[in-house]
Amino acid sequence: MPAVYRTRSPEETRALAQKLARDLGPGDLLLLYGDLGSGKTTFVQGLARGLGVPEEVYVVSPSFSLVNEYPGRVPLFHVDLYRLSPEEVEDLGLHEMLSRGVMVIEWSERLGPGLKARFRIYFTYLSETEREIRIEEDVRKGPLP
Ligand code: ADP
Ligand code: MG
C-alpha cells in the first residue's frame, strides 16, 4: 500500500525523510522519481539527518561526483545517474556499496536490473512550497514466512 504525503515546506520534507530513515539499514535501496526541483535532494538531506550524518556535512546533489558517501550510523550513498549511460552505471560498483550501507538514487530510470529497491518514492511539484510525496514499499523484501 503506498503512503501519500503532502509537505508544505522543505523542512517538512526533511522531517518526513528523517522519520523514514529510522528504519533503514545496510542493503536498503531507495529510488527517487520526480522532475528537477520536486524535492528529491531535500529529501536526501532528511535521510542523512535521520541516519546520524553530522550536521556540518553538507548534502548536495552528486551530479558531478556521481556518488557521495556520507558517514552516519550506517554509511549513506547518494547517487545521481543523470548523466550516465547504462555501461557507466555498471562500472560504478553500486552493488558492493549497497551491501555496506543505505543507498538512495536520483534519476534511477538509468539503473539496469540487478539491484532490488526497498522503497520507490515519487515526488510531485504542487506549488512553490508544496510537494506530494508518495512512498511505495516493496513488501516482497519483508521477512520470509
Ligand atoms: P530535486 O533534487 O528534485 O531537483 P531539490 O530538493 O534540489 O529538488 O530542490 C527542491 C527545491 O524546492 C528547493 O529549493 C527547496 O527549497 C524547494 N522547496 C519548496 N517547498 C518544498 C517542499 N515542500 N519540499 C521540498 N522542497 C521544497
Ligand atoms: Mg537533486
Side-chain angles (χ1 to χ4, degrees), residues 6-14 34-45 61 80 106-107 123 125 127-133:
R6 179 180 293 209
T7 64
R8 291 172 180 80
S9 67
E11 199 40 51
E12 277 191 30
T13 294
R14 288 188 201 101
D35 294 337
L36 209 63
S38 60
K40 302 183 294 298
T41 298
T42 303
F43 189 88
V44 178
Q45 291 167 350
S61 234
D80 191 319
E106 298 189 41
W107 299 103
F123 295 79
Y125 182 104
S127 73
E128 200 172 325
T129 55
E130 293 177 300
R131 305 291 186 271
E132 184 190 277
I133 301 174

Side-chain angles (χ1 to χ4, degrees), residues 89-122:
V89 173
E90 282 280 303
D91 293 341
L92 285 176
L94 297 181
H95 213 279
E96 185 275 329
M97 287 177 213
L98 179 58
S99 68
R100 292 195 286 125
V102 172
M103 181 175 289
V104 59
I105 304 184
E106 298 189 41
W107 299 103
S108 45
E109 289 86 345
R110 311 278 159 104
L111 193 65
L115 290 182
K116 202 156 154 34
R118 176 165 175 205
F119 291 101
R120 289 170 201 277
I121 307 178
Y122 299 87

Side-chain angles (χ1 to χ4, degrees), residues 60-70 77-85 88-89 91-92 94 97 103-106:
V60 289
S61 234
S63 317
F64 204 66
S65 44
L66 306 177
V67 184
N68 288 342
E69 177 176 354
Y70 309 112
F77 296 97
H78 184 194
V79 186
D80 191 319
L81 303 180
Y82 186 54
R83 286 164 220 275
L84 298 191
S85 69
E88 289 170 315
V89 173
D91 293 341
L92 285 176
L94 297 181
M97 287 177 213
M103 181 175 289
V104 59
I105 304 184
E106 298 189 41

